[in-house]
Amino acid sequence: MAYPVAELYGEMAFIAAHFHWSSETLMTMAHGERRRWCREISAINRLQSGAPADPFAGL
Protein backbone atom coordinates (compact mmCIF):
# COMPACT_ATOMS: atom_id res chain seq x y z
CA MET A 1 0.00 0.00 0.00
CA ALA A 2 1.43 3.35 -1.05
CA TYR A 3 1.65 6.28 1.30
CA PRO A 4 -1.16 8.80 0.59
CA VAL A 5 0.13 11.53 -1.69
CA ALA A 6 -1.76 14.30 0.13
CA GLU A 7 -0.10 13.36 3.43
CA LEU A 8 3.30 13.12 1.78
CA TYR A 9 3.01 16.63 0.37
CA GLY A 10 1.59 17.95 3.64
CA GLU A 11 4.57 16.62 5.58
CA MET A 12 6.99 17.92 2.97
CA ALA A 13 5.43 21.39 3.00
CA PHE A 14 5.44 21.49 6.80
CA ILE A 15 9.13 20.59 7.04
CA ALA A 16 10.17 22.80 4.13
CA ALA A 17 8.33 25.80 5.59
CA HIS A 18 10.27 25.49 8.83
CA PHE A 19 13.67 24.14 7.79
CA HIS A 20 13.81 25.20 4.11
CA TRP A 21 15.04 21.78 3.03
CA SER A 22 14.80 21.01 -0.67
CA SER A 23 12.06 18.86 -2.17
CA GLU A 24 14.75 16.41 -3.31
CA THR A 25 15.96 15.96 0.27
CA LEU A 26 12.43 15.51 1.57
CA MET A 27 11.42 13.07 -1.18
CA THR A 28 14.37 10.80 -0.50
CA MET A 29 13.76 10.82 3.25
CA ALA A 30 12.19 7.68 4.73
CA HIS A 31 8.58 8.04 5.85
CA GLY A 32 9.48 7.47 9.49
CA GLU A 33 12.18 10.11 9.38
CA ARG A 34 9.80 12.68 7.82
CA ARG A 35 7.21 11.95 10.50
CA ARG A 36 9.87 12.32 13.18
CA TRP A 37 10.84 15.78 11.87
CA CYS A 38 7.18 16.79 11.78
CA ARG A 39 6.85 15.82 15.46
CA GLU A 40 10.03 17.73 16.34
CA ILE A 41 8.81 20.87 14.55
CA SER A 42 5.44 20.59 16.29
CA ALA A 43 7.19 20.30 19.66
CA ILE A 44 9.23 23.44 18.89
CA ASN A 45 6.06 25.30 17.87
CA ARG A 46 4.27 24.25 21.08
CA LEU A 47 7.25 25.31 23.18
CA GLN A 48 7.47 28.70 21.48
CA SER A 49 3.74 29.34 21.85
CA GLY A 50 3.67 28.31 25.50
CA ALA A 51 1.28 25.45 24.80
CA PRO A 52 1.69 22.33 26.94
CA ALA A 53 3.78 19.51 25.47
CA ASP A 54 0.82 17.19 25.94
CA PRO A 55 -2.42 19.15 25.53
CA PHE A 56 -4.36 16.20 26.95
CA ALA A 57 -2.35 15.93 30.17
CA GLY A 58 -4.51 16.46 33.21
CA LEU A 59 -7.78 15.64 31.47
Side-chain angles (χ1 to χ4, degrees), residues 1 4 6-7 9-10 14 16-17 21 23 25 27-28 30 33 35 38 40-41 45 49 54-59:
M1 180 174 184
E7 287 189 43
Y9 277 90
F14 187 66
W21 292 348
S23 60
T25 298
M27 285 296 282
T28 58
E33 187 177 3
R35 297 289 297 171
C38 287
E40 294 296 332
I41 293 167
N45 287 341
S49 70
D54 181 0
F56 300 107
L59 294 179

Side-chain angles (χ1 to χ4, degrees), residues 5-38:
V5 173
E7 287 189 43
L8 173 65
Y9 277 90
E11 291 171 4
M12 290 175 55
F14 187 66
I15 296 169
H18 288 81
F19 290 159
H20 309 285
W21 292 348
S22 71
S23 60
E24 291 80 20
T25 298
L26 296 170
M27 285 296 282
T28 58
M29 195 176 286
H31 168 66
E33 187 177 3
R34 254 192 329 273
R35 297 289 297 171
R36 172 66 190 263
W37 283 115
C38 287

